[in-house]
């Protein structure tokens, strides 16, 4: 399995301020999350996952650091990082 570069960056936790919003969004969609958009809020949910991820892009196109951390914690909790695409 070839690893996703965005996922690798998120899992290291060293680049939280340099993750592009669209990359984070695409990662969630690739792992089967459903997306709902309300204004500038992108709300992601997935069956059998209790947490809901709410993302908003920064003006520079990056994701908010604390939201990158939330996604990382979710991927580690549910072991998405071990799944094959």
């Amino acid at each position: 399995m070839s690893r996703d570069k965005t996922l690798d960056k998120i899992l290291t936790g060293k680049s939280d301020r340099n993750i592009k919003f669209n990359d984070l969004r695409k990662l969630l969609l690739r792992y089967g999350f459903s997306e709902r958009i309300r204004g500038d809020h992108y709300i992601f949910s997935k069956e059998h996952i209790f947490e809901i991820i709410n993302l908003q892009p920064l003006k520079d196109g990056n994701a908010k650091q604390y939201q990158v951390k939330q996604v990382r914690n979710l991927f580690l909790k549910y072991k998405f990082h071990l799944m094959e695409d």
Side-chain angles (χ1 to χ4, degrees):
M1 172 175 98
S2 68
R3 290 288 300 249
D4 181 289
K5 290 179 185 181
T6 301
L7 179 58
D8 287 342
K9 277 176 71 174
I10 290 169
L11 291 177
T12 65
K14 295 179 182 177
S15 304
D16 287 359
R17 70 176 44 184
N18 296 318
I19 302 293
K20 294 290 182 194
F21 173 80
N22 276 329
D23 291 343
L24 189 60
R25 182 179 161 267
K26 288 176 189 173
L27 179 73
L28 289 166
L29 293 172
R30 207 168 28 253
Y31 278 84
F33 283 79
S34 298
E35 177 184 56
R36 216 175 59 227
I37 303 171
R38 298 193 103 140
D40 66 345
H41 291 256
Y42 291 70
I43 302 157
F44 296 89
S45 60
K46 182 175 169 86
E47 189 175 354
H48 305 297
I49 304 295
F50 298 106
E51 296 86 350
I52 293 174
I53 298 292
N54 184 353
L55 304 178
Q56 303 92 36
L58 292 172
K59 291 180 182 170
D60 65 2
N62 285 334
K64 294 181 179 183
Q65 289 181 29
Y66 78 93
Q67 292 172 346
V68 173
K69 185 177 179 182
Q70 286 176 341
V71 171
R72 177 174 47 255
N73 291 338
L74 185 82
F75 270 63
L76 293 172
K77 177 179 179 179
Y78 291 97
K79 301 186 182 346
F80 288 135
H81 61 291
L82 300 176
M83 297 172 66
E84 293 193 27
D85 292 306

